[in-house]
Amino acid sequence: MLIEASVLVKAVIFFSIMIFSGTYGVRSASASTAGSDVAWQQLNGEINVCWENFDDRYSTEAGWVKNSIFETWQKYGNVKFVGWGPCRSESRGVRIKIDDSNPLVRELGRKLDGMKNGMVLNFDFVKWGNSSCTSRREDCVRNHAVHEFGHALGLAHEHNTAGPEVCRSENQGSSGDWPLTIYDPDSIMNYCRSGSTLGGWNLSRGDVDGIKTIYPKYIPADIPDGRNGQLITQQSAQCLHVQGADGQRRRLLMQWPCQRTAEFYFSFHKLGPGEYQLRSPYSGNCFHYSTNGNELRAPLMQWECAETEEFRFKIDSAGTDSWGQEWFRIRGSRKGSEACFHVLEGPTKEPRKPMAAWTCLNGPEYLFTIK
């Protein structure tokens, strides 16, 4: 199944950038899994890029591609594209074939990892393309490269679910179920992008907001000492709460449909720059890793507050989205092993999913906001 590049631009419309995973290019009425299935998970943010059939006569065009990606997705997202040499049989990451045909990627996001000819880019525009691309090759090479690398990072087409009254370009793939921004008519991922694609390879504000949500550049959070609020997961819009019968000491931290009762609220007690204890006003107890070792997937539970490391958490800000909502991740360490809060079993809207500690990765199940 193929993902085709944007060729012509039509009218200003409304929708949102989404994450999609699964077979791309098949029009399906059902939503697929959320962004954690397509977001790259390298802990250092590095994604290898290589050329399947590089030829020295394309050195200039390859330079345009590399520069365009550095000045767009890599500039704003917590990703770094490395390598850019010839592919080997064992090469991982994004493998690009140069061909005078329709630019495309064969899968989204990390599903491209190591896939031979996973991306196709056109540097000639003789057999495929139009007269504008023939006369302005640099603009077309850059535009298609940024669009296809958007897919390589996990972005679906912006116009996918817009009706024919606002966008007459045919849908490509599913809309996904991780909304990242308000509708962006100027997105590089939008077939109905306003204006001309030629010379328009830079990212829109919505593109920047979207890539920052999937691959955040974290900074220490600044939450006022003693703030009370609800913690809401990005993946499900549900709240964390203290689960269990009254009087229990070790009560699990779980997600559940938000309610205004005490077990759905938390207070943040500042210990240092970006470091906090999380207390439950419901019980007065603190949250900690309930484990005696350094294993991952340790349940998050409440217990009498203490000063030891399993009761201390770093909270990082992932920045604000296009709705103005700030998102956070919560991480701690236990005997030298650092891990982040997340919802077990990955992105799901089902209630009563327990929270646990896990390697800090990209995905909506790792992001929370405070209400």
Side-chain angles (χ1 to χ4, degrees), residues 326-341:
E326 187 173 14
W327 294 93
F328 305 92
R329 73 172 177 182
I330 305 171
R331 58 189 171 93
S333 62
R334 173 72 169 164
K335 295 188 176 181
S337 178
E338 183 177 81
C340 286
F341 278 29

PDB file of all heavy atoms in Angstrom, residues 326-341:
ATOM      1  N   GLU A 326      -1.176  22.927  28.216  1.00  0.00           N
ATOM      2  CA  GLU A 326       0.176  22.453  28.499  1.00  0.00           C
ATOM      3  C   GLU A 326       0.139  20.978  28.905  1.00  0.00           C
ATOM      4  O   GLU A 326      -0.725  20.542  29.658  1.00  0.00           O
ATOM      5  CB  GLU A 326       0.821  23.270  29.615  1.00  0.00           C
ATOM      6  CG  GLU A 326       2.288  22.934  29.855  1.00  0.00           C
ATOM      7  CD  GLU A 326       2.969  23.855  30.849  1.00  0.00           C
ATOM      8  OE1 GLU A 326       2.248  24.589  31.558  1.00  0.00           O
ATOM      9  OE2 GLU A 326       4.207  23.837  30.928  1.00  0.00           O
ATOM     10  N   TRP A 327       1.133  20.211  28.401  1.00  0.00           N
ATOM     11  CA  TRP A 327       1.213  18.782  28.677  1.00  0.00           C
ATOM     12  C   TRP A 327       2.511  18.467  29.409  1.00  0.00           C
ATOM     13  O   TRP A 327       3.525  19.154  29.235  1.00  0.00           O
ATOM     14  CB  TRP A 327       1.122  17.979  27.384  1.00  0.00           C
ATOM     15  CG  TRP A 327      -0.215  18.121  26.735  1.00  0.00           C
ATOM     16  CD1 TRP A 327      -0.579  19.015  25.773  1.00  0.00           C
ATOM     17  CD2 TRP A 327      -1.400  17.385  27.053  1.00  0.00           C
ATOM     18  NE1 TRP A 327      -1.917  18.874  25.466  1.00  0.00           N
ATOM     19  CE2 TRP A 327      -2.440  17.879  26.232  1.00  0.00           C
ATOM     20  CE3 TRP A 327      -1.675  16.347  27.946  1.00  0.00           C
ATOM     21  CZ2 TRP A 327      -3.731  17.370  26.293  1.00  0.00           C
ATOM     22  CZ3 TRP A 327      -2.958  15.836  27.992  1.00  0.00           C
ATOM     23  CH2 TRP A 327      -3.971  16.344  27.171  1.00  0.00           C
ATOM     24  N   PHE A 328       2.465  17.421  30.228  1.00  0.00           N
ATOM     25  CA  PHE A 328       3.593  17.060  31.086  1.00  0.00           C
ATOM     26  C   PHE A 328       3.859  15.558  31.013  1.00  0.00           C
ATOM     27  O   PHE A 328       2.979  14.767  30.682  1.00  0.00           O
ATOM     28  CB  PHE A 328       3.291  17.410  32.551  1.00  0.00           C
ATOM     29  CG  PHE A 328       2.914  18.834  32.790  1.00  0.00           C
ATOM     30  CD1 PHE A 328       1.581  19.222  32.778  1.00  0.00           C
ATOM     31  CD2 PHE A 328       3.879  19.792  33.049  1.00  0.00           C
ATOM     32  CE1 PHE A 328       1.220  20.541  33.013  1.00  0.00           C
ATOM     33  CE2 PHE A 328       3.527  21.113  33.274  1.00  0.00           C
ATOM     34  CZ  PHE A 328       2.192  21.487  33.255  1.00  0.00           C
ATOM     35  N   ARG A 329       5.097  15.193  31.346  1.00  0.00           N
ATOM     36  CA  ARG A 329       5.406  13.802  31.653  1.00  0.00           C
ATOM     37  C   ARG A 329       5.948  13.764  33.074  1.00  0.00           C
ATOM     38  O   ARG A 329       6.519  14.738  33.565  1.00  0.00           O
ATOM     39  CB  ARG A 329       6.396  13.193  30.671  1.00  0.00           C
ATOM     40  CG  ARG A 329       7.821  13.681  30.832  1.00  0.00           C
ATOM     41  CD  ARG A 329       8.795  12.909  29.956  1.00  0.00           C
ATOM     42  NE  ARG A 329      10.153  13.455  30.097  1.00  0.00           N
ATOM     43  CZ  ARG A 329      11.206  13.006  29.419  1.00  0.00           C
ATOM     44  NH1 ARG A 329      11.058  12.018  28.554  1.00  0.00           N
ATOM     45  NH2 ARG A 329      12.402  13.544  29.603  1.00  0.00           N
ATOM     46  N   ILE A 330       5.775  12.626  33.738  1.00  0.00           N
ATOM     47  CA  ILE A 330       6.186  12.461  35.128  1.00  0.00           C
ATOM     48  C   ILE A 330       7.153  11.290  35.186  1.00  0.00           C
ATOM     49  O   ILE A 330       6.836  10.185  34.741  1.00  0.00           O
ATOM     50  CB  ILE A 330       4.965  12.184  36.031  1.00  0.00           C
ATOM     51  CG1 ILE A 330       3.918  13.295  35.858  1.00  0.00           C
ATOM     52  CG2 ILE A 330       5.397  12.081  37.499  1.00  0.00           C
ATOM     53  CD1 ILE A 330       2.590  12.997  36.532  1.00  0.00           C
ATOM     54  N   ARG A 331       8.338  11.522  35.701  1.00  0.00           N
ATOM     55  CA  ARG A 331       9.352  10.464  35.740  1.00  0.00           C
ATOM     56  C   ARG A 331      10.015  10.415  37.113  1.00  0.00           C
ATOM     57  O   ARG A 331      10.076  11.408  37.843  1.00  0.00           O
ATOM     58  CB  ARG A 331      10.408  10.669  34.653  1.00  0.00           C
ATOM     59  CG  ARG A 331      11.129  11.993  34.713  1.00  0.00           C
ATOM     60  CD  ARG A 331      12.013  12.230  33.490  1.00  0.00           C
ATOM     61  NE  ARG A 331      12.531  13.583  33.474  1.00  0.00           N
ATOM     62  CZ  ARG A 331      13.717  13.933  33.998  1.00  0.00           C
ATOM     63  NH1 ARG A 331      14.486  13.011  34.556  1.00  0.00           N
ATOM     64  NH2 ARG A 331      14.120  15.184  33.946  1.00  0.00           N
ATOM     65  N   GLY A 332      10.467   9.256  37.460  1.00  0.00           N
ATOM     66  CA  GLY A 332      11.154   9.064  38.722  1.00  0.00           C
ATOM     67  C   GLY A 332      12.239   8.027  38.569  1.00  0.00           C
ATOM     68  O   GLY A 332      12.431   7.455  37.496  1.00  0.00           O
ATOM     69  N   SER A 333      12.956   7.772  39.645  1.00  0.00           N
ATOM     70  CA  SER A 333      14.015   6.772  39.594  1.00  0.00           C
ATOM     71  C   SER A 333      13.947   5.908  40.842  1.00  0.00           C
ATOM     72  O   SER A 333      13.503   6.334  41.907  1.00  0.00           O
ATOM     73  CB  SER A 333      15.398   7.423  39.473  1.00  0.00           C
ATOM     74  OG  SER A 333      15.669   8.227  40.604  1.00  0.00           O
ATOM     75  N   ARG A 334      14.372   4.687  40.672  1.00  0.00           N
ATOM     76  CA  ARG A 334      14.403   3.726  41.768  1.00  0.00           C
ATOM     77  C   ARG A 334      15.658   2.893  41.614  1.00  0.00           C
ATOM     78  O   ARG A 334      15.806   2.165  40.624  1.00  0.00           O
ATOM     79  CB  ARG A 334      13.154   2.855  41.709  1.00  0.00           C
ATOM     80  CG  ARG A 334      13.122   1.692  42.679  1.00  0.00           C
ATOM     81  CD  ARG A 334      12.926   2.148  44.106  1.00  0.00           C
ATOM     82  NE  ARG A 334      12.636   1.006  44.963  1.00  0.00           N
ATOM     83  CZ  ARG A 334      12.720   1.037  46.280  1.00  0.00           C
ATOM     84  NH1 ARG A 334      13.071   2.149  46.885  1.00  0.00           N
ATOM     85  NH2 ARG A 334      12.453  -0.021  46.996  1.00  0.00           N
ATOM     86  N   LYS A 335      16.599   3.055  42.525  1.00  0.00           N
ATOM     87  CA  LYS A 335      17.863   2.317  42.486  1.00  0.00           C
ATOM     88  C   LYS A 335      18.559   2.475  41.138  1.00  0.00           C
ATOM     89  O   LYS A 335      19.024   1.516  40.536  1.00  0.00           O
ATOM     90  CB  LYS A 335      17.633   0.846  42.824  1.00  0.00           C
ATOM     91  CG  LYS A 335      17.146   0.636  44.254  1.00  0.00           C
ATOM     92  CD  LYS A 335      17.112  -0.827  44.639  1.00  0.00           C
ATOM     93  CE  LYS A 335      16.715  -0.970  46.105  1.00  0.00           C
ATOM     94  NZ  LYS A 335      16.690  -2.386  46.544  1.00  0.00           N
ATOM     95  N   GLY A 336      18.588   3.715  40.648  1.00  0.00           N
ATOM     96  CA  GLY A 336      19.311   4.037  39.423  1.00  0.00           C
ATOM     97  C   GLY A 336      18.557   3.798  38.145  1.00  0.00           C
ATOM     98  O   GLY A 336      19.078   4.067  37.064  1.00  0.00           O
ATOM     99  N   SER A 337      17.333   3.306  38.202  1.00  0.00           N
ATOM    100  CA  SER A 337      16.544   3.049  37.004  1.00  0.00           C
ATOM    101  C   SER A 337      15.471   4.119  36.866  1.00  0.00           C
ATOM    102  O   SER A 337      14.585   4.229  37.707  1.00  0.00           O
ATOM    103  CB  SER A 337      15.890   1.664  37.083  1.00  0.00           C
ATOM    104  OG  SER A 337      15.082   1.425  35.962  1.00  0.00           O
ATOM    105  N   GLU A 338      15.577   4.930  35.785  1.00  0.00           N
ATOM    106  CA  GLU A 338      14.595   5.992  35.567  1.00  0.00           C
ATOM    107  C   GLU A 338      13.449   5.489  34.704  1.00  0.00           C
ATOM    108  O   GLU A 338      13.652   4.735  33.757  1.00  0.00           O
ATOM    109  CB  GLU A 338      15.247   7.194  34.888  1.00  0.00           C
ATOM    110  CG  GLU A 338      14.296   8.367  34.704  1.00  0.00           C
ATOM    111  CD  GLU A 338      14.964   9.576  34.096  1.00  0.00           C
ATOM    112  OE1 GLU A 338      15.115   9.603  32.867  1.00  0.00           O
ATOM    113  OE2 GLU A 338      15.339  10.486  34.861  1.00  0.00           O
ATOM    114  N   ALA A 339      12.241   5.890  35.042  1.00  0.00           N
ATOM    115  CA  ALA A 339      11.067   5.479  34.285  1.00  0.00           C
ATOM    116  C   ALA A 339       9.997   6.558  34.400  1.00  0.00           C
ATOM    117  O   ALA A 339      10.062   7.434  35.250  1.00  0.00           O
ATOM    118  CB  ALA A 339      10.534   4.141  34.789  1.00  0.00           C
ATOM    119  N   CYS A 340       9.008   6.480  33.514  1.00  0.00           N
ATOM    120  CA  CYS A 340       7.943   7.480  33.448  1.00  0.00           C
ATOM    121  C   CYS A 340       6.587   6.868  33.755  1.00  0.00           C
ATOM    122  O   CYS A 340       6.342   5.687  33.498  1.00  0.00           O
ATOM    123  CB  CYS A 340       7.886   8.103  32.046  1.00  0.00           C
ATOM    124  SG  CYS A 340       9.214   9.260  31.693  1.00  0.00           S
ATOM    125  N   PHE A 341       5.682   7.718  34.298  1.00  0.00           N
ATOM    126  CA  PHE A 341       4.287   7.318  34.428  1.00  0.00           C
ATOM    127  C   PHE A 341       3.743   6.975  33.047  1.00  0.00           C
ATOM    128  O   PHE A 341       3.975   7.705  32.087  1.00  0.00           O
ATOM    129  CB  PHE A 341       3.447   8.497  34.940  1.00  0.00           C
ATOM    130  CG  PHE A 341       3.482   8.709  36.421  1.00  0.00           C
ATOM    131  CD1 PHE A 341       4.572   8.355  37.190  1.00  0.00           C
ATOM    132  CD2 PHE A 341       2.400   9.307  37.052  1.00  0.00           C
ATOM    133  CE1 PHE A 341       4.586   8.585  38.557  1.00  0.00           C
ATOM    134  CE2 PHE A 341       2.410   9.541  38.412  1.00  0.00           C
ATOM    135  CZ  PHE A 341       3.497   9.179  39.166  1.00  0.00           C
TER     136      PHE A 341
END
